């Protein structure tokens, strides 16, 4: 599956409709963003069960601000509508694959239980 472009209007619905969503915050003028794009696109093709989205931070400044994006590219991963990974900087293919596998293998029930214990 190819990457999809999301906007402030479609962001919440994208998280609602998909169990795992990776989001690449980027800009056309950003060299590292342009270098990361083929790696991200290739991962999207290898993992059609995951939604790979892109947010143009120039066009979607309010969404980038709401996500506290301070440097680009920034990669975020959501599982069951919960942010489980956020890191600025371009990953190489191996690093991206490691993050994808870690998110896929994440036990959300266990994570929520641990979070509940921390708040108690």
């Amino acid at each position: 599956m190819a990457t999809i472009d999301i906007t402030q209007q479609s962001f919440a619905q994208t998280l609602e409709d998909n169990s795992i969503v990776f989001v690449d915050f980027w800009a056309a003028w950003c060299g590292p963003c342009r270098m990361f794009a083929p790696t991200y696109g290739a991962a999207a093709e290898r993992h059609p069960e995951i939604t790979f989205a892109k947010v143009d931070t120039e066009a979607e400044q309010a969404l980038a601000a709401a996500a506290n994006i301070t440097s680009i590219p920034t990669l975020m991963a959501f599982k069951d509508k919960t942010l489980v990974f956020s890191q600025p900087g371009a990953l190489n293919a191996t690093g991206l694959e490691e993050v994808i596998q870690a998110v896929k293998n994440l036990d959300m029930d266990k994570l929520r239980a641990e979070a509940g214990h921390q708040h108690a």
Side-chain angles (χ1 to χ4, degrees):
M1 182 177 170
T3 61
I4 60 168
D5 293 322
I6 57 175
T7 64
Q8 187 168 2
Q9 290 74 28
S10 63
F11 188 81
Q13 193 64 49
T14 301
L15 295 185
E16 190 69 39
D17 293 346
N18 301 280
S19 67
I20 299 177
V21 179
F22 279 79
V23 183
D24 173 23
F25 288 86
W26 68 283
W29 52 262
C30 165
C33 298
R34 290 195 307 272
M35 289 172 45
F36 179 59
T39 302
Y40 191 68
E45 295 297 328
R46 279 194 312 277
H47 297 280
E49 74 285 4
I50 296 174
T51 299
F52 288 83
K54 294 178 74 73
V55 174
D56 180 345
T57 57
E58 290 293 305
E60 295 295 328
Q61 291 181 12
L63 179 53
N68 295 319
I69 302 302
T70 56
S71 63
I72 52 175
T74 290
L75 180 66
M76 290 186 171
F78 296 84
K79 187 167 183 177
D80 298 341
K81 302 181 287 262
T82 301
L83 178 65
V84 295
F85 178 86
S86 179
Q87 178 179 309
L91 293 168
N92 62 26
T94 303
L96 179 56
E97 192 61 35
E98 288 172 359
V99 172
I100 290 167
Q101 292 306 319
V103 171
K104 286 173 74 171
N105 294 333
L106 200 56
D107 182 338
M108 293 304 290
D109 292 331
K110 182 178 176 189
L111 191 68
R112 282 188 277 270
E114 289 171 0
H117 287 299
Q118 289 175 354
H119 292 299

